[in-house]
C-alpha cells in the first residue's frame, strides 16, 4: 500500500469505475460469506466446548448506551464475562488541554447527560479550589439546590429504568413524568434542559428567575407521591423482589477494592459520601443523613436510591428556607466577567472583560499548581485532577468518572448468573457511557 | 343452526360461518392492538395513538400498511424453508383453534364431539412456530428465545391441560356447548354455577397458564426485549413479523375465549333463559354476552401486561413444575374424590 512520493499517481494506473465496482462486489460477497456462519451448530459452539459467546451490546436495548459486554454462555448461564469500553470515546479530557478553564464547563455536561448540573458544579468547584476563590453564599446555596434536584432526577430515572429492564414498563414512564418537573426547573434556571452549562468558574451564569421558589416549592409538593407509587408497584411485587434480591451482590470488601462510590458503594455497606466527608459549597450546614444498606444486591441498590431521594428532598427544603440574597458571581473580576451594563459604561470593567475573554489574559492558575477535587455526583464520586502550566488552558485535565469504576466490577458480578440477572445488575448500576469513556 | 334441511344449505351455512367468524377474528386483532395501546397509554399517563383517523382508530391500519411495504429481509445463513414456516406455524394454529369456540348460542365454525381436545392439540402446534423461528434465524438471541419459548410452552401446557381435565371430569363431556349449558342456572345465585366458582383452583391455574401459553408478560421470556432484543422474531421483518405479531394476539383471543367458555359461562348469563329453539335475536344476544365477557378478560390481559415485571427463566420453570403442576394434580385428585363421594361439583351448592 505504501507508495514512494515520487511515483505516486504516475505509474500506478487509476482503476476505472467499473473495475472498482467489481472489486467492491467481490469483496462484499467474500465478506458476507466469510463472517456469517452457515449453520446453527456453528453459532452455538464458539469455543469448541459447546459454549456460546454472546455480545451484549454495544447496541442492545438493555445497555442504555454503547456499553459492550461479552458473555460466554453455557445454556443460559454466564460462565465468563468481559466488558469492553471505549465505544463512546469523545476525547473530553484532551479537549480540556485545548480549551480555557471557562470554556470546558460546556464539555463537562456532555459527560453525564443525565446529571449535567452535577458535572458543571463538580468541575467549577475544582477550578475554584485551584484558584483559591470562594463563591458567594447565594451561589453556593443555589448550586446545592440544583445539584440535589439533578440527583433526584437521576435517581428516579435509574429506578424507573430498573423497572423497565425487568419488564415493568409503566414504572419508567411514571418516573419520567415526575422527572419532567425537575427539567422544568432546570429549563427555567438556565434555558437548556439537558446540556445545561449552568455554572461558571466563580459563580453561575445568572441569578435564578423570580418565580424560582414557586417552582421548587411546587416540586417539593408534587414529587414525593411518586416515591410511594414506585414502591407500591415494585416493592409489593413478588416478581420484582425475586428478580433483584441476592442478584449481583457486592461485598463491602469488593466495593472498597474496586473503588465503588455513590449509591452502589453505600448500598454494599461502604460508608462514603463526599458531601459529608469532604464538604463543599456549604454542605456541612445542612442536616442530612447518609443512608446505608448492607446487602449490596440489586434490591438494596434500589432501596438506596429511593432513600437518597428523600434525603435530597430534605436538603432542598433546608436550602430553600435559608436561601441568602446577594450576588451569584464571585466579585473578583480577575476570574469572573463583570456585568454587561458595567462593560458598556465603565472603563475598568471593559478592561476586565477584554482581558478575561482574550487568550493569554484570562484565568491562569500559577505554574505547576495541581489538585484533585471531588464532588458527589448521583453515580458516585466525581473527581477532577487539574494541573496548570500557567497558561490559559490546563496542562492536564483528568476526570475520575464514577461510572468507570462502577462498571469495572460488573463482569465479576454477572458470572455464574443468568442473562436475566445481567440485565438486573446492569440496570441497577446505572452506567453512563458518556462519562465512562469520556 | 345446522338443521336447515338440504345438505347443500348445510355446506353453505358452514362456509358462511367460517368466513364470517374468521373475518371477525381478523378484524378483532387490529382493534385489540388499538385497544391495548390506548389502555397502556392510559395506565402510563400518556395519550396514545390519536393522529390517524378519528381518535386514532385507523392507526392499526396504518401499521399494517407500513409493515406490508417493509423490505422482506432474509438474513444470510438462515435455514430458508424453516425460517419461512415459522410465522405461519404460529399464526395458523392460533386461528384454527378458534374454530371450535362457540361465539354464540351453538354458533361455531366446526362443531366436533371432541372440541376441547381439538383445541388443545391445535393450540400446542404454535410452539413449533416459535421454536422454528428461533432456530432457523441463525441468530443467538433468536435461538435463546426459541429455546425459552418451547420449554416454557411445553411446561405450562401440562398445567393448562390438567386444569381443563378437571372441568371435563365434572362436566362429563368434551362438547363446549354442553359445558356452557351445564354452567347455567336461573337467578343471581346461578352465577355460582360457573366453573370459576365451582373450580376456583383450576380457573386460577388456567388463567396463569394461558398467560404463559400466549407469551404475554409476565411470561414473555421468549421475546423479552431487555435481554434478547426481540427473541425469536429478532430477524423477522415486514409481513413475516406481522404474522408473529398477529399470531400472538389471535392466541390471546383464543385463550380468553376458551377461558370464557370453560369458566365464565360462555355465551350464557344466569338472568337470560336459554331457549330450546333460538331465534335470531337470542343468538345476537348470546354473541353480545360472549363478546362482553371476552373484552373483560382481554382488558385483564392488557392490564397485567402493563403492570407486572417479568420472571427470570429458572423462576418461571420452577413455578411451572413445582407449583402449578402439583396444584393442578391436587385439584384433579380433589375433583375425582368429590365425584366418587357423589357431589356434583367440587363445592356443593347451597340448595
Amino acid at each position: 500500500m505504501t507508495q514512494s512520493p515520487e511515483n505516486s499517481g504516475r505509474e500506478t494506473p487509476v482503476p476505472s469505475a467499473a473495475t472498482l465496482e467489481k472489486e467492491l462486489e467481490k469483496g462484499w460477497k467474500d465478506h458476507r460469506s466469510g463472517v456469517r456462519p452457515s449453520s446453527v451448530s456453528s453459532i452455538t459452539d464458539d469455543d469448541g466446548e459447546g459454549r456460546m459467546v454472546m455480545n451484549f451490546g454495544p447496541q442492545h436495548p438493555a445497555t442504555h448506551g454503547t456499553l459492550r459486554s461479552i458473555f460466554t454462555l453455557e445454556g443460559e448461564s454466564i460462565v465468563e464475562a468481559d466488558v469492553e469500553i471505549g465505544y463512546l470515546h469523545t476525547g473530553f479530557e484532551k479537549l480540556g488541554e485545548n480549551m480555557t478553564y471557562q470554556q470546558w464547563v460546556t464539555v463537562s455536561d456532555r459527560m453525564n447527560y443525565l446529571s449535567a448540573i452535577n458535572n458543571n458544579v463538580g468541575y467549577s468547584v475544582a477550578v475554584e479550589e485551584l484558584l483559591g476563590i470562594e463563591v458567594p453564599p447565594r451561589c453556593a446555596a443555589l448550586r446545592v439546590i440544583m445539584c440535589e434536584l439533578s440527583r433526584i432526577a437521576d435517581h428516579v430515572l435509574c429506578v424507573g429504568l430498573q423497572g423497565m429492564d425487568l419488564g415493568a414498563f409503566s414504572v419508567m414512564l411514571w418516573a419520567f413524568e415526575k422527572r419532567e418537573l425537575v427539567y422544568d426547573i432546570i429549563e427555567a434556571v438556565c434555558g437548556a434542559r439537558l446540556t445545561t452549562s449552568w455554572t461558571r468558574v466563580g459563580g453561575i451564569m445568572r441569578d435564578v428567575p423570580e418565580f424560582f421558589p414557586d417552582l421548587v416549592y411546587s416540586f417539593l409538593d408534587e414529587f414525593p407521591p411518586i416515591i410511594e407509587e414506585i414502591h407500591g408497584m415494585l416493592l409489593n411485587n413478588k416478581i420484582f423482589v425475586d428478580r433483584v434480591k441476592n442478584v449481583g451482590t457486592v461485598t463491602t470488601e469488593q466495593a472498597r477494592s474496586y473503588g465503588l462510590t455513590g449509591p452502589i458503594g453505600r448500598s454494599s455497606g461502604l460508608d462514603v459520601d463526599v458531601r459529608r466527608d469532604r464538604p463543599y459549597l456549604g454542605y456541612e450546614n445542612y442536616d442530612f443523613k447518609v443512608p446505608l444498606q448492607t446487602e449490596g444486591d440489586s434490591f438494596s441498590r434500589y432501596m438506596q436510591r429511593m432513600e437518597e431521594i428523600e434525603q435530597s428532598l430534605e436538603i432542598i427544603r433546608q436550602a430553600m428556607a435559608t436561601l441568602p440574597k446577594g450576588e451569584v458571581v464571585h466579585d473578583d473580576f480577575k476570574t469572573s466577567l463583570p456585568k454587561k451594563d458595567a462593560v458598556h459604561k465603565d472603563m475598568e470593567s471593559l478592561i476586565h472583560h477584554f482581558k478575561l475573554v482574550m487568550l493569554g489574559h484570562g484565568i491562569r492558575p500559577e505554574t505547576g499548581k495541581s489538585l484533585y477535587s471531588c464532588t458527589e455526583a448521583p453515580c458516585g464520586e466525581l473527581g477532577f485532577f487539574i494541573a496548570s502550566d500557567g497558561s490559559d488552558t490546563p496542562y492536564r485535565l483528568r476526570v475520575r468518572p464514577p461510572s468507570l469504576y462502577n462498571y469495572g466490577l460488573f463482569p465479576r458480578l454477572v458470572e455464574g448468573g443468568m442473562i436475566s440477572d445481567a440485565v438486573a445488575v446492569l440496570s441497577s448500576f446505572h452506567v453512563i457511557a458518556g462519562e465512562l469513556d469520556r | 343452526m345446522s338443521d336447515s334441511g338440504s345438505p347443500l344449505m348445510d355446506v353453505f351455512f358452514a362456509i358462511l360461518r367460517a368466513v364470517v367468524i374468521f373475518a371477525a377474528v381478523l378484524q378483532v386483532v387490529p382493534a385489540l392492538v388499538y385497544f391495548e395501546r390506548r389502555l397502556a397509554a392510559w395506565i402510563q399517563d400518556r395519550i396514545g395513538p390519536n393522529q390517524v383517523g378519528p381518535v386514532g382508530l385507523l392507526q392499526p391500519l396504518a401499521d399494517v400498511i407500513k409493515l406490508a411495504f417493509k423490505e422482506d429481509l432474509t438474513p444470510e445463513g438462515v435455514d430458508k424453508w424453516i425460517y419461512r414456516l415459522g410465522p405461519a406455524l404460529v399464526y395458523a394454529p392460533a386461528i384454527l383453534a378458534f374454530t371450535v369456540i362457540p361465539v354464540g348460542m351453538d354458533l361455531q365454525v366446526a362443531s366436533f364431539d371432541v372440541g376441547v381436545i381439538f383445541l388443545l392439540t391445535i393450540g400446542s402446534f404454535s410452539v413449533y412456530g416459535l421454536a422454528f423461528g428461533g432456530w432457523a434465524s441463525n441468530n443467538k438471541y433468536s435461538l435463546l428465545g426459541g429455546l425459552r419459548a418451547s420449554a416454557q410452552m411445553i411446561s405450562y401446557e401440562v398445567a393448562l391441560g390438567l386444569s381443563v381435565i378437571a372441568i371435563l371430569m365434572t362436566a362429563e363431556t368434551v362438547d363446549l356447548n354442553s359445558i356452557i349449558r351445564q354452567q347455567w342456572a336461573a337467578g343471581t345465585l346461578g352465577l355460582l354455577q360457573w366453573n370459576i366458582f365451582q373450580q376456583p383452583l383450576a380457573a386460577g391455574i388456567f388463567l396463569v397458564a394461558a398467560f404463559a401459553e400466549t407469551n404475554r408478560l409476565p411470561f414473555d421470556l421468549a421475546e423479552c426485549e431487555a435481554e434478547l432484543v426481540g427473541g425469536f422474531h429478532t430477524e423477522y421483518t415486514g409481513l413475516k413479523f406481522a404474522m408473529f405479531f398477529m399470531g400472538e394476539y389471535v392466541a390471546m383471543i383464543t385463550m380468553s375465549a376458551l377461558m370464557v367458555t370453560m369458566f365464565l359461562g360462555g355465551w350464557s348469563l344466569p338472568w337470560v333463559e336459554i331457549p330450546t329453539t333460538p331465534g335470531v335475536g337470542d343468538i345476537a344476544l348470546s354473541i353480545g354476552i360472549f363478546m362482553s365477557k371476552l373484552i373483560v378478560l382481554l382488558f385483564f390481559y392488557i392490564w397485567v401486561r402493563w403492570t407486572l415485571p417479568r420472571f427470570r427463566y429458572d423462576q418461571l420453570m420452577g413455578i411451572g413444575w413445582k407449583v402449578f403442576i402439583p396444584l393442578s394434580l391436587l385439584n384433579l385428585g380433589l375433583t375425582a374424590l368429590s365425584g366418587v363421594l357423589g357431589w356434583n361439583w367440587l363445592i356443593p351448592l347451597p340448595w
Side-chain angles (χ1 to χ4, degrees):
Chain A
M1 286 306 277
T2 46
Q3 278 184 354
S4 51
E6 49 267 24
N7 65 1
S8 66
R10 294 272 171 85
E11 280 158 40
T12 44
V14 180
S16 71
T19 326
L20 266 178
E21 206 163 281
K22 245 182 217 167
E23 292 270 311
L24 265 176
E25 182 79 4
K26 185 177 171 300
W28 178 234
K29 263 187 190 153
D30 288 351
H31 171 70
R32 298 222 294 195
S33 58
V35 288
R36 298 295 303 210
S38 55
S39 74
V40 173
S41 64
S42 61
I43 67 166
T44 56
D45 192 5
D46 284 318
D47 63 351
E49 291 169 30
R51 289 177 180 160
M52 182 161 90
V53 177
M54 193 175 91
N55 262 318
F56 193 74
Q59 265 114 45
H60 189 282
T63 55
H64 307 299
T66 44
L67 311 170
R68 182 182 178 206
S69 314
I70 303 125
F71 296 148
T72 308
L73 301 174
E74 233 167 42
E76 287 243 348
S77 312
I78 300 168
V79 287
E80 215 180 300
D82 197 6
V83 292
E84 191 172 310
I85 64 168
Y87 283 91
L88 202 61
H89 179 67
T90 24
F92 288 153
E93 289 180 356
K94 191 69 190 168
L95 277 172
E97 294 168 24
N98 295 287
M99 293 167 95
T100 65
Y101 289 92
Q102 202 72 268
Q103 281 172 335
W104 203 78
V105 173
T106 52
V107 176
S108 73
D109 50 39
R110 271 77 178 169
M111 240 174 19
N112 184 342
Y113 28 81
L114 292 180
S115 50
I117 299 254
N118 296 70
N119 283 272
N120 293 161
V121 170
Y123 172 70
S124 302
V125 165
V127 178
E128 282 151 17
E129 279 179 18
L130 186 71
L131 294 168
I133 60 178
E134 209 161 276
V135 294
R138 182 175 173 82
C139 169
L142 284 174
R143 279 184 182 183
V144 166
I145 293 168
M146 294 305 286
C147 273
E148 295 307 319
L149 282 172
S150 189
R151 188 187 318 279
I152 290 170
D154 188 274
H155 280 356
V156 82
L157 180 73
C158 175
V159 166
L161 291 178
Q162 212 175 340
M164 186 189 82
D165 278 346
L166 301 183
F169 196 77
S170 303
V171 175
M172 192 273 267
L173 285 169
W174 293 354
F176 235 85
E177 199 193 345
K178 294 292 176 180
R179 179 173 166 265
E180 280 302 296
L181 298 174
V182 176
Y183 275 77
D184 286 346
I185 299 176
I186 292 178
E187 190 179 359
V189 165
C190 67
R193 287 163 58 85
L194 209 61
T195 48
T196 50
S197 308
W198 180 57
T199 60
R200 297 286 178 271
V201 173
I204 52 178
M205 63 186 273
R206 60 158 184 258
D207 203 349
V208 292
E210 288 154 32
F211 54 90
F212 175 73
D214 299 338
L215 274 179
V216 177
Y217 281 123
S218 71
F219 165 80
L220 288 175
D221 288 339
E222 281 176 49
F223 185 81
I226 189 69
I227 299 176
E228 286 307 308
E229 259 175 68
I230 294 179
H231 273 325
M233 268 297 259
L234 297 180
L235 216 50
N236 298 336
N237 192 321
K238 195 170 181 312
I239 301 177
F240 177 78
V241 175
D242 281 353
R243 280 292 303 274
V244 291
K245 268 245 162 102
N246 298 323
V247 165
T249 309
V250 185
T251 60
T252 314
E253 204 40 58
Q254 270 179 325
R256 189 174 289 121
S257 62
Y258 277 83
L260 303 194
T261 47
I264 302 166
R266 288 194 284 276
S267 69
S268 50
L270 190 65
D271 192 7
V272 288
D273 190 322
V274 184
R275 291 174 294 175
R276 181 199 59 200
D277 303 337
R278 187 184 160 281
Y280 54 96
L281 296 176
Y283 264 111
E284 65 274 20
N285 303 332
Y286 306 111
D287 178 27
F288 65 99
K289 284 199 267 312
V290 177
L292 268 186
Q293 316 286 322
T294 47
E295 278 82 30
D297 52 3
S298 280
F299 180 74
S300 62
R301 289 191 276 276
Y302 162 79
M303 290 306 287
Q304 176 71 22
R305 288 207 169 83
M306 294 304 266
E307 286 173 22
E308 281 189 19
I309 287 176
E310 284 170 24
Q311 292 303 319
S312 291
L313 287 171
E314 189 53 40
I315 295 177
I316 295 172
R317 273 191 207 104
Q318 292 174 25
M320 283 306 290
T322 58
L323 183 63
K325 293 214 174 335
E327 288 298 311
V328 291
V329 181
H330 180 59
D331 58 1
D332 179 4
F333 296 126
K334 296 281 182 288
T335 55
S336 46
L337 286 172
K339 282 212 170 71
K340 199 73 186 171
D341 262 5
V343 176
H344 288 312
K345 291 173 186 159
D346 175 11
M347 186 62 159
E348 284 286 300
S349 303
L350 182 64
I351 293 169
H352 282 308
H353 184 101
F354 178 80
K355 289 192 82 165
L356 269 175
V357 169
M358 294 306 287
L359 275 181
H361 299 271
I363 300 170
R364 280 174 300 170
E366 287 166 39
T367 314
K369 206 172 178 187
S370 68
L371 101 169
Y372 174 78
S373 157
C374 56
T375 53
E376 183 76 15
C379 296
E381 177 186 329
L382 173 71
F384 290 92
F385 171 80
I386 306 175
S388 160
D389 58 358
S391 70
D392 283 297
T393 56
Y395 174 73
R396 176 80 170 99
L397 174 63
R398 152 91 184 143
V399 187
R400 184 230 186 258
S403 290
L404 175 66
Y405 296 84
N406 295 347
Y407 197 43
L409 186 55
F410 174 70
R412 299 289 84 75
L413 289 179
V414 298
E415 279 171 2
M418 305 186 91
I419 303 174
S420 314
D421 291 337
V423 173
V425 174
L426 188 59
S427 61
S428 71
F429 261 54
H430 198 46
V431 177
I432 310 293
E435 101 180 341
L436 176 79
D437 294 335
R438 304 179 314 292
Chain B
M1 281 296 286
S2 52
D3 307 325
S4 49
S6 76
L8 205 63
M9 286 302 276
D10 279 355
V11 172
F12 173 73
F13 272 119
I15 291 175
L16 189 70
R17 272 189 311 222
V19 169
V20 168
I21 292 179
F22 277 162
V25 172
L26 280 185
Q27 294 318 303
V28 168
V29 171
L32 185 59
V33 173
Y34 173 78
F35 183 53
E36 165 148 29
R37 289 180 64 180
R38 289 299 286 222
L39 210 58
W42 177 60
I43 291 172
Q44 297 167 346
D45 293 340
R46 294 186 286 117
I47 297 169
N50 67 343
Q51 293 296 306
V52 189
V55 292
L57 272 170
L58 295 180
Q59 183 68 46
L61 191 68
D63 288 345
V64 168
I65 293 172
K66 180 197 76 176
L67 280 171
F69 282 99
K70 286 267 176 190
E71 186 184 356
D72 189 19
L73 281 173
T74 307
E76 290 281 320
V78 302
D79 201 330
K80 284 203 177 59
W81 286 106
I82 298 183
Y83 177 80
R84 284 169 199 161
L85 202 59
L89 270 184
V90 170
Y91 183 63
I95 200 145
L96 268 182
F98 200 81
T99 48
V100 293
I101 304 265
V103 293
M105 205 169 288
D106 297 323
L107 182 70
Q108 58 223 13
V109 178
S111 120
F112 293 100
D113 291 339
V114 289
V116 181
I117 294 170
F118 173 80
L119 195 150
L120 290 178
T121 317
I122 289 294
S124 55
F125 262 99
S126 62
V127 70
Y128 286 107
L130 303 186
F132 283 2
W135 188 81
S137 291
N138 194 25
N139 176 315
K140 289 169 183 175
Y141 300 120
S142 300
L143 185 71
L144 286 175
L147 283 176
R148 283 179 174 192
S150 30
Q152 169 188 337
M153 289 177 81
I154 289 169
S155 334
Y156 277 81
E157 220 157 61
V158 179
L160 187 89
L162 288 176
S163 67
V164 168
I165 287 173
I167 301 296
L168 298 186
M169 276 167 76
T170 51
E172 293 173 357
T173 174
V174 284
D175 178 28
L176 287 167
N177 279 309
S178 320
I179 294 178
I180 291 169
R181 285 207 164 78
Q182 285 176 2
Q183 292 182 61
W184 185 85
T188 308
L189 272 179
L191 272 177
L192 287 177
Q193 198 80 343
W194 284 4
N195 279 334
I196 192 170
F197 300 113
Q198 296 298 328
Q199 290 271 3
L201 204 55
I205 292 165
F206 184 92
L207 188 65
V208 176
F211 271 102
E213 281 293 292
T214 48
N215 282 318
R216 298 275 297 180
L217 259 166
F219 299 98
D220 72 333
L221 288 142
E223 53 173 311
C224 60
E225 70 283 344
E227 292 157 30
L228 299 180
V229 189
F232 58 88
H233 63 61
T234 307
E235 296 284 5
Y236 284 91
T237 55
L239 280 176
K240 288 203 190 90
F241 167 73
M243 271 168 91
F244 269 131
F245 189 70
M246 284 175 58
E248 182 191 318
Y249 278 85
V250 174
M252 194 167 119
I253 295 170
T254 307
M255 277 297 166
S256 306
L258 185 62
M259 174 94 193
V260 167
T261 309
M262 302 284 285
F263 294 96
L264 299 173
W267 40 258
S268 74
L269 266 187
W271 303 282
V272 184
E273 287 281 336
I274 302 180
T276 40
T277 49
V280 175
D282 293 322
I283 290 175
L285 183 63
S286 67
I287 292 176
I289 293 170
F290 178 82
M291 287 301 282
S292 23
K293 285 177 182 174
L294 190 64
I295 285 171
V296 170
L297 258 189
L298 290 174
F299 172 81
F300 181 73
Y301 257 85
I302 293 165
W303 183 25
V304 167
R305 162 157 190 196
W306 295 103
T307 311
L308 291 185
R310 69 173 72 81
F311 284 102
R312 198 172 60 209
Y313 183 61
D314 56 328
Q315 293 170 343
L316 173 95
M317 297 307 270
I319 292 171
W321 287 98
K322 291 182 198 153
V323 180
F324 282 115
I325 293 180
L327 264 183
S328 48
L329 283 172
L330 176 79
N331 186 47
L332 211 58
L334 281 178
T335 313
L337 194 69
S338 66
V340 169
L341 290 178
W343 300 342
N344 201 14
W345 301 98
L346 194 56
I347 305 168
L349 286 184
W351 57 86

